[in-house]
Amino acid sequence: MSLTPLRLHSEPYGSTGNIGENFRRLLGAPSMDPLQTVIREAVQNVADAAKLGTGPEIFIRIRRLAHHQIAVLREKFFSDLPDEGKSRTHLDEFLAREEPVVMEICDFATTGLGGPTRADRIPIGTTTLDFINFLRNIGTPRDTEHGGGTYGFGKVALYRMSRCSTILVDTLAAGDGAEARRLIGCHIGSSFERSESGMLRRYTGRHWWGVPDADDGVVDPLTGGAAEEMATAVGFLPRGGNRTGTSIMILDLDTEGDELETIGKRVVEALLWNFWPRMMRDVPSDRRFHCTVEVDGVALDVPAPEDFAPLDLFAKAMRSARKGSGNDVRKITSQRPTKDLGWLAIEKGLRSQRRPLIREESLFPAVTRHIALMRPVELVVRYLEGDPLPDERLEWAGVFIASSEVEVERAFADSEPPAHDDWIPENLPKGPAKTYVKVALRELKARAFELGNMAHGPGPASASGPPLARVAGKLGAALEGVSGDGAGRNRIVAGSAGGARPPRARASRPVFVRLERDHVGTTAIFATDVRQDARRSGAFLTAEAAVAIEGTAAVRIDDIILQPSIVSIRSADGRSSSASDRISLEGAEGQYEIFVRMPPDCAVTVEAQVLTESDA
């Protein structure tokens, strides 16, 4: 192998001092666990780097290093270790492990880390400083309009997830010529000192591995073909052609005793919980995140938010907030000074069945009663929790998008702590900006409380059956895509025909189609599309109905009234039918109709689920 060993540079204190090891404390005390913090901070940086007119690809890998890869790190990358005792010990322990675990956070179709590589040598007229802002400087202000956050603080989270506080960075920068491909290693340890020429020279605890400068010994990244060869040798994903972007490898990942698959599923949850607005199907192609999570070479399922409860309810609210119109949409404003602060959209619905990715400590609440707070970049800052609806079978989800007006957006951005996980008015000086954030939070909290304390509407006026148009109108109040006269639109569910098969057999959310009346009563017909996975493992389609009464202030379910029942299920082509709430699929797919017997004066909602033989 022709690989040339890299050299270590340990950062000395300058004559005017340095931040030193307190760099590790700059992140503050985020409210999230370390893994979620890493995913949030890394993907926020990806959002800011996505400037090439196409949505970024985000590829997160958790894997065990092969023997030849750890040998390359031991012999070529880290042949020279820091003098400080703890740093040396932690790196030695990592390099001695049989199959050490690493996590790689990779992005493609982004700008990469371009520009100068030395913070003290910036050519006049240079505007791109991504490399030095990420690898050299600390806490650099963001340079992206409506970006994810202050560039630089979040990188501390990467080192915290490494048991040896070390990362490798492989980047292919857009438009940087022969030196566009760059590879460097970074470690943050404790400050230390050593004797040099009769003086004690102090060092900050920051270390880099690369190619030393002939004048002062400060290392620059390995570049060009040599960088590509070294990156390939340690297992980084290839970046041929125009696959610009950055890969960060967290060495000796702190698994906290969890299985790697569990960590991978926690990564999927973190992506969905924090970035679902940019993962929705209807996000424009130049903004949509395309996410892949892989554990030891096996890709995990990353469901679309629209297909994953409770994000399906948030996604519905998100569409309304973007348009500024919908079922329950209002503008949040400040009176003094007068300013539009953003749009709030609320959606209520029957609590959807959860399919948790992990069984314990899931990020997703059992009952949703939250408002997702975000700036125009559409990355969730945090969830504002409110009061639940009176009936535990109902839930609500809200979305607040701050105004894109520069003054307002800047106020919310500046109120965020380094971890970007809250809006804190106290972070701002007295003035309009502080007022904007305080007023918005006050109004949002009031609405979140109000939702759980709304007066119930009256029950049915009589036991007699209402006209079909009236019943259909009430259905329209509870269901998406239903016209007021009772004739529903038969929607085609995205992905229901053609394209790659889903990772598991599933049914789309049932859509109200029509009403039928006979001597027994009223029947509501719903349609659902069944899609099989590659193994055609779906064995049964099951359905469950619930009733909602429309009140003056809220939709509510009442235990004392008659409940709807599933009369039958049949395939749209008429080839199979069942006079119960379950029909055998035997690997079949397509559209199915669900017939629901309705109580008087009620709106009905239906859930459908595909079961495998083992589920049944």
Side-chain angles (χ1 to χ4, degrees):
M1 184 177 293
S2 60
L3 298 176
T4 302
L6 300 185
R7 291 290 175 256
L8 168 69
H9 172 72
S10 300
E11 180 185 54
Y13 274 91
S15 58
T16 57
N18 288 77
I19 289 179
E21 63 186 280
N22 283 329
F23 174 72
R24 296 171 59 89
R25 302 191 183 116
L26 284 176
L27 188 62
S31 58
M32 299 159 287
D33 65 69
L35 181 62
Q36 189 184 171
T37 301
V38 163
I39 299 303
R40 273 180 57 98
E41 296 299 324
V43 178
Q44 283 176 348
N45 283 342
V46 172
D48 288 346
K51 305 173 184 176
L52 302 181
T54 184
E57 297 176 40
I58 299 167
F59 201 124
I60 299 177
R61 296 202 299 172
I62 301 166
R63 62 186 178 95
R64 297 173 177 87
L65 290 176
H67 290 170
H68 69 278
Q69 292 166 347
I70 192 66
V72 170
L73 290 175
R74 186 186 304 115
E75 298 167 12
K76 302 296 183 180
F77 220 106
F78 298 113
S79 59
D80 192 6
L81 295 181
D83 289 342
E84 199 278 321
K86 287 189 293 185
S87 292
R88 178 179 287 269
T89 297
H90 292 156
L91 282 164
D92 273 334
E93 290 173 349
F94 159 66
L95 295 169
R97 297 190 198 282
E98 188 69 17
E99 290 185 320
V101 176
V102 299
M103 179 164 75
E104 292 166 80
I105 304 172
C106 314
D107 57 75
F108 298 88
T110 57
T111 57
L113 299 176
T117 62
R118 292 282 296 266
D120 59 341
R121 299 178 184 177
I122 301 175
I124 294 174
T126 298
T127 58
T128 299
L129 302 174
D130 293 332
F131 185 91
I132 60 174
N133 283 344
F134 185 76
L135 275 305
R136 308 290 198 189
N137 293 337
I138 300 170
T140 305
R142 64 179 184 169
D143 60 356
T144 301
E145 183 180 4
H146 297 171
T150 301
Y151 192 12
F153 282 105
K155 61 193 176 189
V156 181
L158 300 167
Y159 296 93
R160 285 184 169 178
M161 281 298 293
S162 166
R163 289 193 287 187
C164 59
S165 300
T166 306
I167 63 173
L168 308 185
V169 179
D170 174 36
T171 189
L172 178 60
D176 254 25
E179 295 189 350
R181 188 65 178 267
R182 299 167 172 179
L183 178 67
I184 195 168
C186 313
H187 167 78
I188 297 177
S190 300
S191 59
F192 66 101
E193 55 190 31
R194 63 187 178 198
S195 177
E196 295 181 9
S197 303
M199 302 287 287
L200 283 178
R201 191 172 192 189
R202 302 197 64 216
Y203 291 82
T204 66
R206 293 206 295 170
H207 308 263
W208 292 273
W209 285 264
V211 179
D213 183 273
D215 293 332
D216 58 12
V218 174
V219 300
D220 282 320
L222 197 62
T223 61
E228 182 176 1
E229 186 178 12
M230 182 74 82
T232 300
V234 297
F236 274 112
L237 289 173
R239 289 193 173 274
N242 62 351
R243 300 275 286 168
T244 58
T246 301
S247 297
I248 301 169
M249 184 186 294
I250 301 174
L251 301 183
D252 210 4
L253 181 70
D254 188 356
T255 65
E256 297 183 331
D258 287 340
E259 297 291 330
L260 297 194
E261 184 177 2
T262 299
I263 297 173
K265 290 179 177 179
R266 289 176 61 202
V267 169
V268 174
E269 278 209 349
L271 286 170
L272 288 169
W273 187 236
N274 294 287
F275 302 105
W276 59 265
R278 298 284 290 271
M279 298 168 68
M280 293 170 58
R281 293 189 183 98
D282 57 359
V283 174
S285 60
D286 62 339
R287 288 173 55 83
R288 187 180 177 195
F289 289 171
H290 305 272
C291 301
T292 301
V293 179
E294 187 180 277
V295 176
D296 273 342
V298 178
L300 303 183
D301 178 34
V302 182
E306 296 93 332
D307 299 334
F308 189 78
L311 296 182
D312 52 349
L313 203 57
F314 281 105
K316 189 176 179 182
M318 186 72 192
R319 286 192 289 269
S320 296
R322 284 172 176 156
K323 294 184 300 182
S325 63
N327 291 333
D328 185 354
V329 180
R330 64 184 66 184
K331 186 182 292 183
I332 303 298
T333 61
S334 167
Q335 300 303 318
R336 290 183 298 178
T338 303
K339 187 71 71 172
D340 292 338
L341 304 180
W343 289 97
L344 169 65
I346 301 290
E347 290 290 342
K348 297 186 286 287
L350 198 67
R351 189 176 72 83
S352 302
Q353 181 178 359
R354 302 299 197 258
R355 295 183 176 90
L357 298 174
I358 54 177
R359 295 295 176 184
E360 297 179 359
E361 298 181 355
S362 173
L363 295 174
F364 298 99
V367 178
T368 298
R369 54 189 187 199
H370 302 75
I371 300 173
L373 308 180
M374 62 192 77
R375 291 187 278 117
V377 70
E378 294 186 356
L379 310 178
V380 176
V381 173
R382 77 174 179 96
Y383 290 86
L384 176 64
E385 185 173 0
D387 286 356
L389 294 170
D391 192 292
E392 63 183 10
R393 288 169 290 180
L394 292 172
E395 61 185 349
W396 63 268
V399 167
F400 173 72
I401 307 177
S403 169
S404 59
E405 185 180 342
V406 173
E407 183 184 6
V408 176
E409 194 276 341
R410 172 63 68 177
F412 285 98
D414 290 348
S415 76
E416 293 177 8
H420 315 301
D421 58 355
D422 203 353
W423 287 336
I424 305 174
E426 290 72 23
N427 286 350
L428 301 170
K430 185 176 181 180
K434 187 171 187 175
T435 299
Y436 299 153
V437 179
K438 287 184 68 174
V439 168
L441 290 176
R442 183 189 68 209
E443 294 298 314
L444 294 172
K445 289 175 182 177
R447 180 59 177 150
F449 173 79
E450 177 187 57
L451 281 163
N453 292 273
M454 298 173 75
H456 297 307
S462 69
S464 60
L468 291 186
R470 181 182 171 199
V471 175
K474 290 184 177 293
L475 279 169
L479 302 175
E480 178 186 6
V482 181
S483 60
D485 64 357
R489 296 193 300 274
N490 193 1
R491 297 180 301 168
I492 301 300
V493 177
S496 62
R501 291 196 172 275
R504 57 173 293 165
R506 65 190 184 198
S508 66
R509 173 171 287 187
V511 178
F512 171 63
V513 178
R514 65 188 184 278
L515 293 175
E516 294 179 354
R517 188 83 175 268
D518 57 24
H519 67 284
V520 178
T522 302
T523 299
I525 294 89
F526 292 75
T528 181
D529 287 290
V530 172
R531 283 277 286 162
Q532 294 283 356
D533 56 20
R535 295 176 290 123
R536 292 189 174 267
S537 62
F540 301 95
L541 171 65
T542 66
E544 181 180 4
V547 63
I549 298 175
E550 186 183 40
T552 58
V555 175
R556 137 180 196 267
I557 290 180
D558 196 326
D559 291 321
I560 65 173
I561 66 174
L562 296 174
Q563 295 299 305
S565 60
I566 305 295
V567 177
S568 61
I569 305 175
R570 74 182 183 194
S571 61
D573 59 14
R575 294 181 180 179
S576 61
S577 63
S578 170
S580 71
D581 61 359
R582 172 183 294 209
I583 188 171
S584 177
L585 296 175
E586 297 180 344
E589 60 183 2
Q591 192 173 84
Y592 287 77
E593 293 184 331
I594 302 168
F595 292 73
V596 184
R597 183 67 72 187
M598 295 175 55
D601 202 20
C602 292
V604 174
T605 59
V606 177
E607 287 189 349
Q609 182 181 6
V610 174
L611 303 178
T612 64
E613 289 286 355
S614 59
D615 292 333

